[in-house]
Amino acid sequence: MIQINNLGKVYSTGRSSTRALGGVNLNIPKGSVYGIIGLSGAGKSTLVRCLNLLEKPTEGQILVNGQDLTSLSGTDLRIARRKIGMIFQHFNLLASRTVAENIAFPLEIDGMKRAAIKERVSELLPLVGLTEKADSYPSELSGGQKQRVGIARALALKPDVLLCDEATSALDPQTTLSILSLLKDINRELGLTIVIITHEMKVIKEICTHVAVLHDSRCVEDASVEEVFTAP
Ligand code: ADP
Ligand code: ADP
């Protein structure tokens, strides 16, 4: 469903340039939980920003259901972005808005009517186990609960892909497991493709069906989790 062909990114600042990605090829099957692991500086954030269409790659293609995202602009780009939900390490919630209002935010931006927003939010709250917290503010929530709000907000526009950028890196081990288990449920129940960027092997082992290893701007491994972890 997502096919990344020969993706490359060079950052140019003044006279110097840094290659952050080069010749990256990935095939992310529909319905998979696809992990991308690598050390700091490997190019993970750059790959996320390319996938999320915040950054234009200098080479290559990102095909989602056959459509090349790197060639889009204007309205087409905005429509394509809605198909990718995203969650973050530090949750990125709006402090002045309640849980329900945070989840409603992308729907408001999208121009959805008030009644429809209310209905969609009331479907999302139980999905992430936060019905009782609808009127709480982010400062009143635990880290795990904040990430649950992030997940509900990311799912609001019914994306094709959920992109998780170090989404459990700020959480303790037990909360990490509960968030991973929620992501697993969402993958299974909604059939949603999930892409997980992480520096933690335990995250990959816990839920991923596929894994790619980024090292020094290159993808050095791309396989099912059994293939990578089963010693010959
Ligand atoms: P990771 O997320 O795996 O730590 P990054 O994608 O952040 O890796 O970085 C990959 C390489 O690109 C690093 O050498 C980094 O210094 C460089 N880099 C990242 N962002 C920029 C930028 N905006 N300008 C210049 N160089 C950058
Ligand atoms: P935290 O992540 O903050 O530690 P918990 O994992 O304990 O929070 O879950 C917070 C609340 O969400 C609990 O009441 C729990 O029963 C509920 N919950 C956990 N997972 C789900 C789920 N998949 N669906 C619905 N509710 C859930």
Side-chain angles (χ1 to χ4, degrees):
M1 120 170 246
I2 304 181
Q3 206 183 332
I4 296 177
N5 295 330
N6 193 33
L7 195 72
K9 174 74 189 177
V10 175
Y11 291 105
S12 302
T13 38
R15 278 185 198 181
S16 70
S17 64
T18 310
R19 175 164 286 284
L21 291 176
V24 172
N25 295 298
L26 298 176
N27 260 307
I28 304 180
K30 188 170 168 55
S32 61
V33 180
Y34 199 101
I36 299 174
I37 190 163
L39 300 174
S40 176
K44 301 186 298 296
S45 311
T46 302
L47 181 58
V48 168
R49 290 200 298 273
C50 289
L51 275 173
N52 198 27
L53 311 177
L54 292 172
E55 195 91 70
K56 247 199 186 327
T58 34
E59 301 118 44
Q61 293 178 313
I62 301 173
L63 301 173
V64 177
N65 297 325
Q67 184 187 38
D68 183 9
L69 301 185
T70 60
S71 67
L72 301 178
S73 60
T75 309
D76 291 339
L77 184 62
R78 274 197 300 281
I79 292 170
R81 262 197 198 122
R82 299 178 42 197
K83 291 283 151 205
I84 302 172
M86 181 141 184
I87 59 173
F88 309 89
Q89 178 171 8
H90 298 294
F91 324 120
N92 297 11
L93 303 181
L94 297 168
S96 63
R97 288 179 154 239
T98 64
V99 166
E101 289 164 352
N102 267 282
I103 297 171
F105 193 62
L107 301 170
E108 286 171 23
I109 302 277
D110 202 52
M112 194 185 261
K113 296 248 166 34
R114 274 180 73 128
I117 291 178
K118 219 173 153 188
E119 193 185 328
R120 181 75 184 127
V121 171
S122 71
E123 291 167 0
L124 289 160
L125 283 166
L127 185 74
V128 296
L130 287 178
T131 308
E132 262 85 82
K133 299 283 180 188
D135 299 320
S136 301
Y137 286 87
S139 60
E140 301 167 312
L141 303 178
S142 71
Q145 290 168 336
K146 284 182 200 167
Q147 195 56 290
R148 287 169 190 277
V149 180
I151 292 169
R153 179 182 58 184
L155 297 179
L157 288 169
K158 306 188 174 173
D160 292 335
V161 183
L162 178 63
L163 191 53
C164 310
D165 186 8
E166 297 286 358
T168 56
S169 301
L171 304 175
D172 63 62
Q174 201 185 333
T175 309
T176 293
L177 287 180
S178 90
I179 292 296
L180 294 178
S181 142
L182 175 59
L183 291 175
K184 213 187 278 185
D185 291 348
I186 287 167
N187 168 255
R188 202 168 29 220
E189 283 161 33
L190 308 181
L192 188 71
T193 306
I194 300 184
V195 178
I196 295 187
I197 282 83
T198 184
H199 67 279
E200 294 179 294
M201 192 56 87
K202 68 164 196 241
V203 170
I204 303 281
K205 286 191 165 162
E206 188 64 29
I207 69 163
C208 292
T209 56
H210 295 70
V211 62
V213 181
L214 271 189
H215 184 70
D216 265 350
S217 81
R218 305 213 154 252
C219 176
V220 294
E221 187 99 60
D222 173 20
S224 74
V225 161
E226 297 90 70
E227 287 174 71
V228 173
F229 293 123
T230 311

